[in-house]
Amino acid sequence: MGNDQQHGPAFWACGEATGQELWLGSSPAVLLGSIIGGYGKIGKSLAKLEGISWSEMLKQVRFAYACDLAKDFQGRALVTAREETGWSTLTESSENLDRIYADKAFVASNLGWSKNSVRLVIVHPIIAVDWEPPVEHRSLIVIDPRSEISLLRSMVRVGVLTNAGRLDARSRVEHPYGM
């Protein structure tokens, strides 16, 4: 009915986190606000009360969600490995076990991870540290909560979303209806 340029792009996501439904939002923040409890309700006045910037508060909430997500999907990866390959803690090195069971809120080791190992899920730190993530592959997933877009992309990589993207011609992902 009107000029499409008057409206911003529509963003979408679907998968486990959305109950396999297609969710639309006017921004990545709106989508995350639907997925992460309370994310969309964080106001700038609350951030001022806490003594930090609004963007920093949102980043901390994304980080906490990413840590919970990493812990959950690390557990799922271990169950899958046990069921599909007979993986056991008895055959894994103590160094690998330390990395697998490490608290996801701590800065992870950036050493490589064997492509034939059980899947390792780590979280990119949000604090300013000299940390470069190891190269990702099928057995290593890095969840990056530093921005809303990077968190949505990480959610696709870990499998909590089957896909996510933007509904316009410039989108680099598939249209949810294959258009």
Side-chain angles (χ1 to χ4, degrees), residues 22-47:
L22 176 64
W23 286 4
L24 298 174
S26 59
S27 70
V30 170
L31 283 178
L32 286 177
S34 300
I35 295 169
I36 303 172
Y39 186 81
K41 294 181 172 67
I42 297 172
K44 292 182 180 182
S45 58
L46 177 60

PDB file of all heavy atoms in Angstrom, residues 22-47:
ATOM      1  N   LEU A  22       7.547 -19.520  12.779  1.00  0.00           N
ATOM      2  CA  LEU A  22       8.243 -18.407  12.141  1.00  0.00           C
ATOM      3  C   LEU A  22       7.920 -17.150  12.931  1.00  0.00           C
ATOM      4  O   LEU A  22       6.759 -16.761  13.028  1.00  0.00           O
ATOM      5  CB  LEU A  22       7.792 -18.253  10.681  1.00  0.00           C
ATOM      6  CG  LEU A  22       8.367 -17.070   9.923  1.00  0.00           C
ATOM      7  CD1 LEU A  22       9.878 -17.203   9.778  1.00  0.00           C
ATOM      8  CD2 LEU A  22       7.706 -16.956   8.556  1.00  0.00           C
ATOM      9  N   TRP A  23       8.935 -16.533  13.530  1.00  0.00           N
ATOM     10  CA  TRP A  23       8.749 -15.300  14.284  1.00  0.00           C
ATOM     11  C   TRP A  23       9.329 -14.155  13.482  1.00  0.00           C
ATOM     12  O   TRP A  23      10.433 -14.253  12.933  1.00  0.00           O
ATOM     13  CB  TRP A  23       9.437 -15.371  15.634  1.00  0.00           C
ATOM     14  CG  TRP A  23       8.733 -16.237  16.641  1.00  0.00           C
ATOM     15  CD1 TRP A  23       7.614 -17.000  16.447  1.00  0.00           C
ATOM     16  CD2 TRP A  23       9.118 -16.444  17.995  1.00  0.00           C
ATOM     17  NE1 TRP A  23       7.283 -17.658  17.592  1.00  0.00           N
ATOM     18  CE2 TRP A  23       8.183 -17.341  18.567  1.00  0.00           C
ATOM     19  CE3 TRP A  23      10.150 -15.968  18.770  1.00  0.00           C
ATOM     20  CZ2 TRP A  23       8.260 -17.758  19.890  1.00  0.00           C
ATOM     21  CZ3 TRP A  23      10.231 -16.379  20.085  1.00  0.00           C
ATOM     22  CH2 TRP A  23       9.283 -17.256  20.638  1.00  0.00           C
ATOM     23  N   LEU A  24       8.611 -13.045  13.442  1.00  0.00           N
ATOM     24  CA  LEU A  24       9.055 -11.840  12.751  1.00  0.00           C
ATOM     25  C   LEU A  24       9.285 -10.732  13.750  1.00  0.00           C
ATOM     26  O   LEU A  24       8.607 -10.652  14.773  1.00  0.00           O
ATOM     27  CB  LEU A  24       8.000 -11.386  11.734  1.00  0.00           C
ATOM     28  CG  LEU A  24       7.674 -12.351  10.605  1.00  0.00           C
ATOM     29  CD1 LEU A  24       6.508 -11.830   9.774  1.00  0.00           C
ATOM     30  CD2 LEU A  24       8.889 -12.574   9.730  1.00  0.00           C
ATOM     31  N   GLY A  25      10.227  -9.856  13.435  1.00  0.00           N
ATOM     32  CA  GLY A  25      10.489  -8.698  14.272  1.00  0.00           C
ATOM     33  C   GLY A  25      11.029  -7.573  13.418  1.00  0.00           C
ATOM     34  O   GLY A  25      11.586  -7.801  12.343  1.00  0.00           O
ATOM     35  N   SER A  26      10.884  -6.362  13.904  1.00  0.00           N
ATOM     36  CA  SER A  26      11.369  -5.199  13.162  1.00  0.00           C
ATOM     37  C   SER A  26      12.882  -5.036  13.270  1.00  0.00           C
ATOM     38  O   SER A  26      13.476  -4.262  12.540  1.00  0.00           O
ATOM     39  CB  SER A  26      10.669  -3.932  13.656  1.00  0.00           C
ATOM     40  OG  SER A  26      10.904  -3.752  15.039  1.00  0.00           O
ATOM     41  N   SER A  27      13.511  -5.793  14.186  1.00  0.00           N
ATOM     42  CA  SER A  27      14.971  -5.715  14.364  1.00  0.00           C
ATOM     43  C   SER A  27      15.451  -7.006  15.025  1.00  0.00           C
ATOM     44  O   SER A  27      14.649  -7.747  15.605  1.00  0.00           O
ATOM     45  CB  SER A  27      15.334  -4.518  15.248  1.00  0.00           C
ATOM     46  OG  SER A  27      14.919  -4.762  16.572  1.00  0.00           O
ATOM     47  N   PRO A  28      16.754  -7.248  14.994  1.00  0.00           N
ATOM     48  CA  PRO A  28      17.287  -8.400  15.731  1.00  0.00           C
ATOM     49  C   PRO A  28      17.003  -8.297  17.228  1.00  0.00           C
ATOM     50  O   PRO A  28      16.764  -9.298  17.893  1.00  0.00           O
ATOM     51  CB  PRO A  28      18.793  -8.344  15.445  1.00  0.00           C
ATOM     52  CG  PRO A  28      18.907  -7.624  14.151  1.00  0.00           C
ATOM     53  CD  PRO A  28      17.789  -6.612  14.163  1.00  0.00           C
ATOM     54  N   ALA A  29      16.990  -7.074  17.755  1.00  0.00           N
ATOM     55  CA  ALA A  29      16.700  -6.878  19.178  1.00  0.00           C
ATOM     56  C   ALA A  29      15.287  -7.330  19.519  1.00  0.00           C
ATOM     57  O   ALA A  29      15.059  -7.932  20.575  1.00  0.00           O
ATOM     58  CB  ALA A  29      16.895  -5.410  19.564  1.00  0.00           C
ATOM     59  N   VAL A  30      14.337  -7.061  18.631  1.00  0.00           N
ATOM     60  CA  VAL A  30      12.956  -7.485  18.866  1.00  0.00           C
ATOM     61  C   VAL A  30      12.873  -9.011  18.865  1.00  0.00           C
ATOM     62  O   VAL A  30      12.194  -9.609  19.708  1.00  0.00           O
ATOM     63  CB  VAL A  30      12.002  -6.867  17.818  1.00  0.00           C
ATOM     64  CG1 VAL A  30      10.623  -7.478  17.905  1.00  0.00           C
ATOM     65  CG2 VAL A  30      11.933  -5.353  17.999  1.00  0.00           C
ATOM     66  N   LEU A  31      13.576  -9.667  17.937  1.00  0.00           N
ATOM     67  CA  LEU A  31      13.590 -11.134  17.919  1.00  0.00           C
ATOM     68  C   LEU A  31      14.189 -11.688  19.211  1.00  0.00           C
ATOM     69  O   LEU A  31      13.623 -12.590  19.824  1.00  0.00           O
ATOM     70  CB  LEU A  31      14.391 -11.651  16.720  1.00  0.00           C
ATOM     71  CG  LEU A  31      13.710 -11.595  15.375  1.00  0.00           C
ATOM     72  CD1 LEU A  31      14.655 -12.098  14.286  1.00  0.00           C
ATOM     73  CD2 LEU A  31      12.425 -12.394  15.357  1.00  0.00           C
ATOM     74  N   LEU A  32      15.342 -11.138  19.621  1.00  0.00           N
ATOM     75  CA  LEU A  32      15.959 -11.621  20.862  1.00  0.00           C
ATOM     76  C   LEU A  32      15.076 -11.333  22.068  1.00  0.00           C
ATOM     77  O   LEU A  32      15.032 -12.122  23.009  1.00  0.00           O
ATOM     78  CB  LEU A  32      17.344 -11.003  21.055  1.00  0.00           C
ATOM     79  CG  LEU A  32      18.435 -11.569  20.148  1.00  0.00           C
ATOM     80  CD1 LEU A  32      19.743 -10.829  20.371  1.00  0.00           C
ATOM     81  CD2 LEU A  32      18.623 -13.057  20.361  1.00  0.00           C
ATOM     82  N   GLY A  33      14.346 -10.217  22.029  1.00  0.00           N
ATOM     83  CA  GLY A  33      13.419  -9.904  23.113  1.00  0.00           C
ATOM     84  C   GLY A  33      12.312 -10.935  23.232  1.00  0.00           C
ATOM     85  O   GLY A  33      11.780 -11.165  24.318  1.00  0.00           O
ATOM     86  N   SER A  34      11.977 -11.579  22.127  1.00  0.00           N
ATOM     87  CA  SER A  34      10.967 -12.640  22.146  1.00  0.00           C
ATOM     88  C   SER A  34      11.549 -13.969  22.614  1.00  0.00           C
ATOM     89  O   SER A  34      10.828 -14.813  23.128  1.00  0.00           O
ATOM     90  CB  SER A  34      10.383 -12.828  20.737  1.00  0.00           C
ATOM     91  OG  SER A  34       9.775 -11.646  20.295  1.00  0.00           O
ATOM     92  N   ILE A  35      12.844 -14.156  22.438  1.00  0.00           N
ATOM     93  CA  ILE A  35      13.495 -15.420  22.779  1.00  0.00           C
ATOM     94  C   ILE A  35      14.085 -15.397  24.186  1.00  0.00           C
ATOM     95  O   ILE A  35      13.942 -16.349  24.945  1.00  0.00           O
ATOM     96  CB  ILE A  35      14.596 -15.744  21.734  1.00  0.00           C
ATOM     97  CG1 ILE A  35      13.953 -15.985  20.362  1.00  0.00           C
ATOM     98  CG2 ILE A  35      15.421 -16.946  22.164  1.00  0.00           C
ATOM     99  CD1 ILE A  35      14.953 -16.046  19.217  1.00  0.00           C
ATOM    100  N   ILE A  36      14.741 -14.295  24.537  1.00  0.00           N
ATOM    101  CA  ILE A  36      15.407 -14.163  25.843  1.00  0.00           C
ATOM    102  C   ILE A  36      14.472 -13.401  26.776  1.00  0.00           C
ATOM    103  O   ILE A  36      14.190 -12.225  26.548  1.00  0.00           O
ATOM    104  CB  ILE A  36      16.743 -13.406  25.725  1.00  0.00           C
ATOM    105  CG1 ILE A  36      17.683 -14.102  24.740  1.00  0.00           C
ATOM    106  CG2 ILE A  36      17.405 -13.267  27.091  1.00  0.00           C
ATOM    107  CD1 ILE A  36      18.940 -13.308  24.426  1.00  0.00           C
ATOM    108  N   GLY A  37      14.017 -14.066  27.809  1.00  0.00           N
ATOM    109  CA  GLY A  37      13.101 -13.443  28.759  1.00  0.00           C
ATOM    110  C   GLY A  37      13.642 -12.145  29.327  1.00  0.00           C
ATOM    111  O   GLY A  37      14.745 -12.100  29.849  1.00  0.00           O
ATOM    112  N   GLY A  38      12.866 -11.073  29.194  1.00  0.00           N
ATOM    113  CA  GLY A  38      13.225  -9.780  29.752  1.00  0.00           C
ATOM    114  C   GLY A  38      14.134  -8.927  28.890  1.00  0.00           C
ATOM    115  O   GLY A  38      14.325  -7.746  29.175  1.00  0.00           O
ATOM    116  N   TYR A  39      14.695  -9.481  27.833  1.00  0.00           N
ATOM    117  CA  TYR A  39      15.649  -8.731  27.010  1.00  0.00           C
ATOM    118  C   TYR A  39      15.002  -7.497  26.396  1.00  0.00           C
ATOM    119  O   TYR A  39      15.602  -6.426  26.376  1.00  0.00           O
ATOM    120  CB  TYR A  39      16.227  -9.634  25.910  1.00  0.00           C
ATOM    121  CG  TYR A  39      17.334  -8.983  25.109  1.00  0.00           C
ATOM    122  CD1 TYR A  39      18.628  -8.940  25.596  1.00  0.00           C
ATOM    123  CD2 TYR A  39      17.087  -8.412  23.862  1.00  0.00           C
ATOM    124  CE1 TYR A  39      19.653  -8.348  24.871  1.00  0.00           C
ATOM    125  CE2 TYR A  39      18.106  -7.827  23.123  1.00  0.00           C
ATOM    126  CZ  TYR A  39      19.380  -7.791  23.635  1.00  0.00           C
ATOM    127  OH  TYR A  39      20.391  -7.204  22.916  1.00  0.00           O
ATOM    128  N   GLY A  40      13.796  -7.626  25.921  1.00  0.00           N
ATOM    129  CA  GLY A  40      13.115  -6.506  25.281  1.00  0.00           C
ATOM    130  C   GLY A  40      12.578  -5.469  26.246  1.00  0.00           C
ATOM    131  O   GLY A  40      12.118  -4.415  25.843  1.00  0.00           O
ATOM    132  N   LYS A  41      12.648  -5.765  27.538  1.00  0.00           N
ATOM    133  CA  LYS A  41      12.102  -4.844  28.541  1.00  0.00           C
ATOM    134  C   LYS A  41      13.178  -4.049  29.280  1.00  0.00           C
ATOM    135  O   LYS A  41      12.878  -3.299  30.189  1.00  0.00           O
ATOM    136  CB  LYS A  41      11.265  -5.636  29.543  1.00  0.00           C
ATOM    137  CG  LYS A  41      10.024  -6.252  28.928  1.00  0.00           C
ATOM    138  CD  LYS A  41       9.230  -7.003  29.959  1.00  0.00           C
ATOM    139  CE  LYS A  41       7.906  -7.460  29.464  1.00  0.00           C
ATOM    140  NZ  LYS A  41       7.870  -8.445  28.445  1.00  0.00           N
ATOM    141  N   ILE A  42      14.423  -4.241  28.888  1.00  0.00           N
ATOM    142  CA  ILE A  42      15.516  -3.524  29.555  1.00  0.00           C
ATOM    143  C   ILE A  42      15.523  -2.088  29.044  1.00  0.00           C
ATOM    144  O   ILE A  42      15.779  -1.834  27.878  1.00  0.00           O
ATOM    145  CB  ILE A  42      16.872  -4.195  29.293  1.00  0.00           C
ATOM    146  CG1 ILE A  42      16.874  -5.600  29.882  1.00  0.00           C
ATOM    147  CG2 ILE A  42      18.014  -3.364  29.872  1.00  0.00           C
ATOM    148  CD1 ILE A  42      18.084  -6.416  29.519  1.00  0.00           C
ATOM    149  N   GLY A  43      15.223  -1.176  29.914  1.00  0.00           N
ATOM    150  CA  GLY A  43      15.178   0.230  29.539  1.00  0.00           C
ATOM    151  C   GLY A  43      16.462   0.959  29.881  1.00  0.00           C
ATOM    152  O   GLY A  43      17.270   0.494  30.687  1.00  0.00           O
ATOM    153  N   LYS A  44      16.622   2.098  29.268  1.00  0.00           N
ATOM    154  CA  LYS A  44      17.825   2.897  29.520  1.00  0.00           C
ATOM    155  C   LYS A  44      17.873   3.404  30.955  1.00  0.00           C
ATOM    156  O   LYS A  44      18.943   3.563  31.527  1.00  0.00           O
ATOM    157  CB  LYS A  44      17.897   4.045  28.521  1.00  0.00           C
ATOM    158  CG  LYS A  44      18.140   3.547  27.113  1.00  0.00           C
ATOM    159  CD  LYS A  44      18.255   4.672  26.110  1.00  0.00           C
ATOM    160  CE  LYS A  44      18.499   4.085  24.728  1.00  0.00           C
ATOM    161  NZ  LYS A  44      18.664   5.060  23.699  1.00  0.00           N
ATOM    162  N   SER A  45      16.702   3.630  31.558  1.00  0.00           N
ATOM    163  CA  SER A  45      16.684   4.108  32.941  1.00  0.00           C
ATOM    164  C   SER A  45      17.209   3.039  33.902  1.00  0.00           C
ATOM    165  O   SER A  45      17.890   3.347  34.873  1.00  0.00           O
ATOM    166  CB  SER A  45      15.284   4.558  33.347  1.00  0.00           C
ATOM    167  OG  SER A  45      14.361   3.500  33.200  1.00  0.00           O
ATOM    168  N   LEU A  46      16.907   1.754  33.613  1.00  0.00           N
ATOM    169  CA  LEU A  46      17.428   0.670  34.443  1.00  0.00           C
ATOM    170  C   LEU A  46      18.946   0.606  34.351  1.00  0.00           C
ATOM    171  O   LEU A  46      19.634   0.426  35.357  1.00  0.00           O
ATOM    172  CB  LEU A  46      16.819  -0.672  34.017  1.00  0.00           C
ATOM    173  CG  LEU A  46      17.319  -1.911  34.761  1.00  0.00           C
ATOM    174  CD1 LEU A  46      17.029  -1.816  36.258  1.00  0.00           C
ATOM    175  CD2 LEU A  46      16.716  -3.165  34.177  1.00  0.00           C
ATOM    176  N   ALA A  47      19.479   0.790  33.159  1.00  0.00           N
ATOM    177  CA  ALA A  47      20.930   0.779  32.983  1.00  0.00           C
ATOM    178  C   ALA A  47      21.573   1.912  33.770  1.00  0.00           C
ATOM    179  O   ALA A  47      22.623   1.729  34.393  1.00  0.00           O
ATOM    180  CB  ALA A  47      21.279   0.885  31.498  1.00  0.00           C
TER     181      ALA A  47
END
